[in-house]
Amino acid sequence: MPTGCCVIGCTNRHEKGCGVDFKRFPSDPERFEKWVKAVRRKNPDGSDWVPTYHRVCTAHFVTGKKVDDDPLHVDYVPSVNMGYAPSELVSSSSEQLDRHQRYEARLEKKQELVLETLPEILEVESDEPGVDEVENVPSHVTVSCQTEPNDLDSLCMQLADMSVRVQLLEAKFFKRTLCHNLLKGDNKLTRFYTGFPSYAAFNAFVQYVEHKASRLIAWNGKQTGTTATRRGPRPWQDISVHDQLISVLARLRIAAPALDICVRMGFSEATYSRLFATWIPFMAAELKLLFPFPSRQQVDDWMPRTFTKRYPNTRIIIDCYEVQCQRPSGLLNQSITFSDYKSRNTFKVLIGCTPSGYVSFVSDVFGGRISDKEITLRSGLLDLLEKGDMIMADRGFDIQEVVASKGITVNVPPRLGSRKQMSAGEVEKTRRIAELRIHVERCIGRGRRYEILNRVFPLSMYDLVADLNTVAMYMTNFDVPLVEY
């Protein structure tokens, strides 16, 4: 922590008995710039000075303390003994203080005016016709014909306080261009920003997770959870669950930079960064509970007719997709993530869907170098299958010998091998499998509508990549069915 004030010429040090407090530079960008201009420091090379952990002591405020809630107050920005001649200032600190005092005097006059007119508004003549027949008065409203002076003072203060609150709320509301009220009742905007097919589906999911979301532990760089602790309130506790979810899904859906989401929703970058890193693992866990791996009976109940006639034992259709990542600096990691198929560094994910197009399995992420066979063996998918199940896949999934001992069959198109041409029967089988295996590729296409999967993942997001893919792919299950039953 800095031990002194950053103002040029100030000798105050952060030590016991110094008699002053040391204040951080504000987080609001506009006010931050005003503070930097007031300090007027330069780097040794003449470039602009940018504060990091620097502080300003309260000796540079007219009243001896920083004021945060009134931009018109003289102590909203430090202005006393700033290390340069007062004549360089637009107006002296005393003039600014006098101006602010005049402003406060005008506010007092307005309050007095309200106090004078309020009795006329509240006064009700007892013989006025219709007073005893007032209808539609809410139960929480009290109608009185007599008002004590003390009550008038109290009402006047409440009115002034409510006026200020309304102004603050209006300012906060109009700064936000993306919020729950914007999506409410608009299915088109709901799908665009969140991926849910309708606002009703979005609202239903919020109600499903609302209780758990209110007990989330804020991400601290190591772990997240769903049990409250004594580490203090979450920085986004005043933000509704609707808006929290919108901010997370909007970033996934339109791949907007974090700063853009912060500007649209009125968040600070630090708050949104922790919120996003907390919600992604939480949503991944909840979606896995909401869409568990279906049983054999469930798959059969929703088996499309095209599968029932040709391949009735099909339990899952699998395929892999890749998302691009930054090139690691280490040679070993470069080798692990380099994909011969994509000719760049990627993360590889195995996805599986039922014959009806329901996403039932999403693996962890692996380096792009891994083969289809190896990712299938290491993903844990085979542990979920039962004897008699059939896996439909592409030619690259050469796992027949591995799964045969478990009583599982693999339905893949025939290989050409060393032959020059396939037989007519093999060509027909390839066509039939391709017609049905396309459903898993359609699922991947739906998932890639979350544009974040089409961007280059920074390595700093590696801990979230698996959960991001899980969320994007499982979210497609909320959409209309891919296949008619």
Side-chain angles (χ1 to χ4, degrees):
M1 177 179 178
T3 58
C5 177
C6 68
V7 174
I8 298 174
C10 183
T11 58
N12 288 330
R13 308 284 292 178
H14 188 276
E15 55 189 13
K16 187 174 181 180
C18 63
V20 294
D21 294 330
F22 291 80
K23 303 298 182 182
R24 295 174 179 267
F25 277 69
S27 58
D28 178 68
E30 183 177 354
R31 190 181 179 194
F32 178 87
E33 290 297 328
K34 290 182 179 180
W35 278 46
V36 173
K37 290 180 180 179
V39 173
R40 293 193 183 182
R41 289 183 67 105
K42 289 288 185 180
N43 292 324
D45 59 358
S47 60
D48 293 336
W49 172 76
V50 178
T52 53
Y53 299 100
H54 297 82
R55 305 287 193 276
V56 175
C57 71
T58 52
H60 304 286
F61 296 90
V62 176
T63 59
K65 58 182 180 181
K66 183 179 71 167
V67 175
D68 292 322
D69 55 355
D70 186 1
L72 299 178
H73 197 281
V74 64
D75 284 334
Y76 192 69
V77 177
S79 58
V80 178
N81 300 326
M82 301 304 294
Y84 43 80
S87 59
E88 298 179 18
L89 296 173
V90 176
S91 59
S92 65
S93 299
S94 59
E95 291 176 349
Q96 295 180 30
L97 182 59
D98 291 341
R99 187 184 303 112
H100 184 73
Q101 290 174 348
R102 292 195 298 272
Y103 170 75
E104 290 183 335
R106 290 195 296 271
L107 285 182
E108 291 179 1
K109 289 182 179 180
K110 290 182 180 179
Q111 292 179 358
E112 291 176 0
L113 180 61
V114 173
L115 183 62
E116 292 175 0
T117 58
L118 194 58
E120 299 177 4
I121 298 173
L122 297 178
E123 184 177 359
V124 179
E125 296 293 341
S126 61
D127 58 349
E128 183 179 353
V131 170
D132 296 329
E133 300 177 356
V134 177
E135 297 180 355
N136 300 326
V137 178
S139 59
H140 64 276
V141 176
T142 303
V143 179
S144 175
C145 296
Q146 296 182 353
T147 307
E148 298 296 332
N150 291 336
D151 294 336
L152 290 176
D153 293 341
S154 176
L155 288 172
C156 180
M157 295 302 296
Q158 292 180 20
L159 182 61
D161 182 61
M162 292 302 296
S163 177
V164 173
R165 290 187 180 185
V166 168
Q167 293 177 6
L168 292 175
L169 288 173
E170 286 180 346
K172 185 176 181 180
F173 175 79
F174 286 115
K175 282 180 63 178
R176 300 171 58 185
T177 59
L178 177 62
C179 61
H180 171 222
N181 290 330
L182 177 67
L183 273 59
K184 194 171 185 179
D186 194 324
N187 294 339
K188 185 176 181 180
L189 284 180
T190 301
R191 177 182 285 275
F192 178 77
Y193 282 111
T194 69
F196 282 98
S198 66
Y199 178 79
F202 167 76
N203 193 50
F205 183 76
V206 170
Q207 294 176 1
Y208 170 74
V209 301
E210 190 167 15
H211 176 66
K212 293 181 180 180
S214 64
R215 300 168 57 234
L216 282 174
I217 297 175
W219 177 80
N220 63 359
K222 295 181 180 179
Q223 59 184 3
T224 55
T226 55
T227 305
T229 66
R230 297 180 181 178
R231 288 186 289 177
R234 297 176 304 281
W236 57 84
Q237 61 182 356
D238 295 331
I239 303 172
S240 68
V241 176
H242 285 84
D243 286 344
Q244 293 178 38
L245 182 57
I246 289 171
S247 70
V248 173
L249 291 179
R251 187 177 180 187
L252 269 62
R253 187 71 176 175
I254 62 177
L259 179 59
D260 184 26
I261 298 294
C262 292
V263 172
R264 295 189 192 199
M265 305 200 69
F267 299 166
S268 70
E269 287 189 78
T271 296
Y272 181 66
S273 176
R274 296 184 66 191
L275 185 151
F276 186 81
T278 302
W279 263 85
I280 290 299
F282 168 64
M283 282 195 65
E286 288 301 314
L287 288 172
K288 287 179 181 179
L289 294 176
L290 194 60
F291 301 113
F293 192 77
S295 65
R296 174 76 260 177
Q297 184 62 45
Q298 290 173 326
V299 174
D300 291 341
D301 291 342
W302 295 93
M303 182 80 71
R305 294 178 182 177
T306 51
F307 278 88
T308 303
K309 294 179 181 179
R310 299 176 182 175
Y311 310 108
N313 294 329
T314 303
R315 179 82 176 271
I316 191 171
I317 311 171
I318 61 174
D319 199 1
C320 291
Y321 69 93
E322 300 179 47
V323 292
Q324 188 176 356
C325 67
Q326 286 181 331
R327 188 176 70 173
S329 58
L331 295 179
L332 177 60
N333 290 332
Q334 287 183 23
S335 174
I336 292 174
T337 58
F338 187 80
S339 169
D340 292 330
Y341 179 67
K342 297 289 185 179
S343 297
R344 55 178 177 259
N345 297 92
T346 64
F347 294 129
K348 195 170 186 177
V349 181
L350 174 69
I351 181 176
C353 73
T354 64
S356 60
Y358 165 95
V359 175
S360 57
F361 182 82
V362 181
S363 74
D364 199 352
V365 293
F366 296 85
R369 182 182 179 182
I370 194 171
S371 65
D372 293 344
K373 177 179 179 180
E374 186 66 20
I375 195 174
T376 305
L377 299 179
R378 294 171 57 181
S379 65
L381 172 63
L382 301 182
D383 297 332
L384 301 174
L385 301 177
E386 303 171 359
K387 185 177 181 180
D389 290 340
M390 175 184 287
I391 302 173
M392 182 173 285
D394 198 6
R395 292 187 180 91
F397 292 86
D398 186 16
I399 56 175
Q400 292 90 334
E401 296 180 359
V402 179
V403 301
S405 60
K406 298 183 178 182
I408 302 171
T409 57
V410 182
N411 188 9
V412 297
R415 293 176 177 273
L416 180 62
S418 58
R419 296 174 297 169
K420 295 183 179 180
Q421 187 176 357
M422 290 185 180
S423 64
E426 290 175 330
V427 172
E428 179 63 20
K429 182 180 179 180
T430 300
R431 184 186 64 81
R432 290 182 177 180
I433 293 176
E435 287 179 352
L436 301 178
R437 198 187 64 83
I438 193 67
H439 298 324
V440 70
E441 295 182 6
R442 295 172 66 193
C443 288
I444 295 173
R446 277 187 170 185
R448 283 192 176 274
R449 292 177 185 173
Y450 288 84
E451 286 295 324
I452 197 169
L453 300 187
N454 301 321
R455 304 299 174 89
V456 180
F457 274 97
L459 296 179
S460 59
M461 291 184 66
Y462 174 75
D463 291 338
L464 294 177
V465 173
D467 290 329
L468 283 169
N469 282 272
T470 298
V471 171
M473 292 301 163
Y474 276 119
M475 282 291 295
T476 62
N477 288 338
F478 288 107
D479 214 331
V480 295
L482 274 175
V483 186
E484 294 183 1
Y485 307 117

